[in-house]
Amino acid sequence: MVATAATSAFFPAISPSSDSGAGSTKFGSGSVNPGRSRPKSSSRGLLVKANAQAPPKINGTSVGIEGVKFDDDLTTSPPPRTFINLLPDWSMLLAAITTIFLAAEKQWMMLDWKPRRPDMLIDPFGLGRIVQDGLVFRQNFSIRSYEIGADRTASIETLMNHLQETALNHVKTAGLLGDGFGSTPEMCKKNLIWVVAKMQVVVDRYPTWGDVVQVDTWVCASGKNGMRRDWLVRDCKTGETLTRASSVWVMMNKQTRKLSKIPGEVRGEIEPYFANSPPIVEEDGRKLPKLDDDSADYIRTGLTPRWSDLDINQHVNNVKYIGWILESAPLPILESHELSTMTLEYRRECGRDSVLQSLTAVSGAGITNLADAGDIECQHLLRLENGAEIVRGRTEWRPKHATNFGMLDQIPAGNI
């Protein structure tokens, strides 16, 4: 009622009679048109009424309010209901339907995503999967621009990081990852962690920027208190073998920092995932010699770990040791040769406050021009300043393919 009366104040109203002149609403002693009477006209002009409202009624009887006069003749009826007025607001419904269709199309595109090129990453999200009867874990990696070195190929540290990543994801995908860094639930209960004791790596060819590599890894038993983990790295597009690696891992108490036997509960967790296969890299039984200041040809001192070099177990990541070992390698070898084989024996861990020295001895030190030499073998030692050994190592180097053509940019396209 109130809304109807208010609306009628802004639209033409039809008077009951053109001769009716007493239809103005009075407020107090005044009127809407003070000082003069409303003109009579047959044109039925626009009537403007302020604060118009219907007179209240009680039991059908109009009740007046002091100072206000109501006239039933001025009460207007609402506008007639037409077909246009009865139509709903279709714009809101159309907007809702459009939103639903757009959301459904987005979900469908995400589910139906497929690589547009065959050389694109097969496993685009890098999650990996378990294959070959649940014993082998497989994961793909794309070589990024920041993972290559001066010779435009992936660095040895990049390859080692891929190996470590697949090892941890293998444990995670198998459902054996506890709260620790690669530790099983039973290992976490007993404060045990894995530490690498020996690593052998053979690199047949280094991938380049944009290559996609496929890394397979699996575990086997190694003696009574060890576990062997192997890796096979291949070119995802051609299937060519790029790198093979084999390692031996033992358990260490996280609190006492001493080696520990494998408890029966832990063995029960990991043995179902052991594969029965020989090492993918034939073990090098040659003893690694200990270097000192007299037997080393090159020595680099003052090496200190950064905070970013520590892993979740609060010791230096084993991949970082490789970079420190190569710090003392002679520059002519690094420029003209590439690392083909590496054997490392880890003797003790390194903390964030340690200061290390890197020693290198080149076999056949009488060679005067290392850049023109053929295959080269080096012995390495990474030690603390007090002489305590961290890592012993042996590396073998072969001439880079680019040396046969002078400069790197002159390599024939068919040989890349």
Side-chain angles (χ1 to χ4, degrees), residues 52-66:
Q53 66 180 35
K57 294 183 179 182
I58 298 179
N59 296 330
T61 305
S62 299
V63 180
I65 301 177
E66 184 177 358

Side-chain angles (χ1 to χ4, degrees), residues 180-405:
F181 195 55
S183 299
T184 65
E186 288 296 332
M187 291 176 62
C188 293
K189 294 179 182 179
K190 302 180 183 298
N191 291 319
L192 298 175
I193 60 175
W194 288 112
V195 292
V196 60
K198 187 174 182 178
M199 175 77 72
Q200 290 183 260
V201 181
V202 177
V203 182
D204 297 324
R205 182 177 70 84
Y206 286 88
T208 60
W209 176 30
D211 287 349
V212 179
V213 297
Q214 183 182 87
V215 184
D216 288 358
T217 183
W218 59 95
V219 291
C220 305
S222 179
K224 295 182 178 180
N225 294 298
M227 180 185 72
R228 190 185 82 241
R229 178 175 287 278
D230 292 346
W231 292 272
L232 176 62
V233 183
R234 290 173 292 189
D235 188 293
C236 195
K237 185 177 181 180
T238 65
E240 174 191 1
T241 298
L242 303 178
T243 304
R244 293 168 292 132
S246 184
S247 61
V248 176
W249 298 74
V250 294
M251 287 190 177
M252 185 179 74
N253 188 287
K254 190 175 181 179
Q255 294 179 343
T256 64
R257 318 305 289 187
K258 294 182 179 180
L259 298 182
S260 172
K261 295 182 179 180
I262 300 180
E265 297 83 355
V266 177
R267 190 177 297 276
E269 288 180 319
I270 62 179
E271 275 190 346
Y273 298 93
F274 283 174
N276 186 16
S277 62
I280 195 169
V281 178
E282 185 177 355
E283 185 176 0
D284 189 349
R286 293 178 296 171
K287 184 178 180 179
L288 297 176
K290 179 181 179 179
L291 298 181
D292 53 27
D293 294 343
D294 296 330
S295 58
D297 299 316
Y298 303 90
I299 300 178
R300 176 71 182 273
T301 61
L303 301 174
T304 57
R306 299 172 298 177
W307 175 257
S308 59
D309 297 330
L310 303 179
D311 59 24
I312 196 173
N313 293 322
Q314 297 301 311
H315 63 203
V316 176
N317 189 289
N318 64 82
V319 178
K320 183 61 180 180
Y321 295 150
I322 300 174
W324 283 335
I325 286 175
L326 299 181
E327 284 290 335
S328 60
L331 185 59
I333 294 181
L334 298 177
E335 292 178 338
S336 60
H337 289 66
E338 63 182 11
L339 181 63
S340 59
T341 303
M342 177 176 60
T343 302
L344 302 176
E345 289 183 358
Y346 295 85
R347 299 303 179 95
R348 68 176 67 220
E349 63 179 339
C350 174
R352 63 178 181 179
D353 297 326
S354 303
V355 181
L356 299 92
Q357 298 177 345
S358 178
L359 292 75
T360 296
V362 181
S363 298
I367 301 176
T368 56
N369 191 357
L370 294 174
D372 296 334
D375 294 343
I376 300 176
E377 182 179 291
C378 298
Q379 309 295 331
H380 304 274
L381 175 65
L382 193 63
R383 69 184 184 186
L384 298 176
E385 283 187 325
N386 60 9
E389 296 185 12
I390 301 295
V391 181
R392 288 188 186 185
R394 177 189 297 113
T395 58
E396 296 180 3
W397 304 74
R398 59 172 173 254
K400 292 181 179 179
H401 184 66
T403 57
N404 298 328
F405 302 92

Side-chain angles (χ1 to χ4, degrees), residues 38-61:
R38 186 178 59 183
K40 295 181 180 180
S41 174
S42 60
S43 62
R44 297 192 178 123
L46 179 67
L47 300 180
V48 179
K49 304 178 182 64
N51 297 328
Q53 66 180 35
K57 294 183 179 182
I58 298 179
N59 296 330
T61 305

